Amino acid sequence: MSMTEEEKTRYELQSYMFKALAHPVRIQLLDRLKTRSWCVCELAVEVGIDKSVASKHLSQLKEAGLIDDEKRGTQVEYRLVAPCVLELANCAVGMVLENRKRKLGLA
Amino acid sequence: MSMTEEEKTRYELQSYMFKALAHPVRIQLLDRLKTRSWCVCELAVEVGIDKSVASKHLSQLKEAGLIDDEKRGTQVEYRLVAPCVLELANCAVGMVLENRKRKLGLA
DNA sequence: TGCAATGTTTCCATTATTAGCAACAAGAGG
DNA sequence: CCTCTTGTTGCTAATAATGGAAACATTGCA
């Protein structure tokens, strides 16, 4: 309604970012990248999915600016760009759990 | 693969939280709730969507523990529970934009 | 060059998300 | 009781997201 183009863009950018985080596999990938760089094949095995699927998830995380990649021979190493995101994720799970506790307490 | 049940649950909880934030309309709703409480009908008009759609988005945000509601006569007022989420959202958009800038700089 | 290893892209089938309308539920007030 | 207002839920059609297989591209190395 009374929404400027700039506001609209901002809402879309923000949701785009969160969309990248809105999948358990992508969270798990970020969690693995917390300690060191991993190549796609390693991550695929670790998470238990096809390499093509892993590649697509990683691509989405990269588009959102959360990770970055670097070619090393035949393999591509991905690394975490914004480690703060994971603390953010932990904060998130804390919030959900607290909410559930609260609900159970009332009900 | 080497994933415990506890880890799996955590990844799902975290992604569940982010999924609630992964839609421009829900971000906009949170943005409106930043200043004061709003009822569903107000928000629906403000955002320019049907009241049923607004109700469903709000329900999802509530399930994630981001907002809470209270009945007042025939209407339901929603209010923000975790204001920190919005700073988080701003941080997110900053990250994406910075990433794009960086990419444009290189390309 | 030939071949193996690694990633990405394309395609398809399946599932999930979303919007909007209509039906329904709960209160408020005459 | 009747009706108006407000929200929620059920339903359907349209769209988006996902996984996996296969094709393709790139690199390293014998």
Side-chain angles (χ1 to χ4, degrees):
Chain A
M1 233 38 180
S2 57
M3 178 166 49
T4 66
E5 272 304 311
E6 188 241 333
E7 273 182 323
K8 194 181 159 197
T9 302
R10 186 157 47 84
Y11 297 139
E12 281 168 359
L13 276 176
Q14 290 175 340
S15 61
Y16 178 75
M17 171 80 186
F18 289 124
K19 208 173 285 187
L21 294 166
H23 194 291
V25 165
R26 289 194 289 272
I27 298 284
Q28 191 179 359
L29 291 171
L30 288 175
D31 198 45
R32 290 296 175 278
L33 294 172
K34 190 169 54 181
T35 53
R36 62 169 174 92
S37 294
W38 295 63
C39 67
V40 179
C41 58
E42 279 180 310
L43 288 169
V45 171
E46 180 76 11
V47 176
I49 54 179
D50 192 84
K51 61 179 181 175
S52 67
V53 178
S55 176
K56 278 180 280 192
H57 280 304
L58 290 165
S59 170
Q60 192 170 349
L61 290 169
K62 186 185 164 190
E63 275 303 305
L66 297 170
I67 62 178
D68 211 344
D69 64 343
E70 189 175 0
K71 289 213 67 171
R72 287 218 190 281
T74 63
Q75 53 190 35
V76 177
E77 281 195 349
Y78 280 91
R79 68 185 182 81
L80 201 56
V81 164
C84 66
V85 176
L86 286 170
E87 301 171 23
L88 191 150
N90 282 326
C91 164
V93 77
M95 195 142 46
V96 177
L97 287 177
E98 194 178 318
N99 179 252
R100 291 200 182 169
K101 224 184 301 176
R102 187 154 42 86
K103 275 185 184 167
L104 291 176
L106 294 175
Chain B
M1 235 36 179
S2 57
M3 178 167 49
T4 67
E5 273 303 312
E6 188 241 333
E7 274 180 324
K8 194 181 159 199
T9 302
R10 186 157 48 84
Y11 297 139
E12 281 169 358
L13 275 176
Q14 289 175 340
S15 61
Y16 178 74
M17 172 80 187
F18 289 124
K19 207 173 284 187
L21 294 166
H23 195 290
V25 165
R26 289 194 288 273
I27 298 284
Q28 192 180 357
L29 290 171
L30 287 174
D31 198 46
R32 290 295 176 280
L33 293 171
K34 191 170 52 180
T35 52
R36 61 169 175 91
S37 294
W38 295 63
C39 67
V40 179
C41 57
E42 279 180 310
L43 288 169
V45 171
E46 181 75 10
V47 176
I49 55 179
D50 192 84
K51 61 179 181 175
S52 68
V53 178
S55 175
K56 278 180 275 195
H57 280 304
L58 290 165
S59 170
Q60 193 170 349
L61 290 169
K62 186 184 163 190
E63 274 305 305
L66 297 170
I67 62 177
D68 211 343
D69 64 343
E70 190 176 359
K71 289 214 67 171
R72 288 216 189 283
T74 62
Q75 53 189 36
V76 177
E77 281 197 349
Y78 280 92
R79 68 185 182 81
L80 202 56
V81 164
C84 66
V85 176
L86 286 170
E87 300 171 26
L88 191 150
N90 281 326
C91 162
V93 76
M95 195 141 45
V96 177
L97 286 178
E98 193 178 318
N99 179 253
R100 292 201 179 168
K101 223 184 303 175
R102 188 156 41 88
K103 275 186 187 167
L104 291 176
L106 293 177

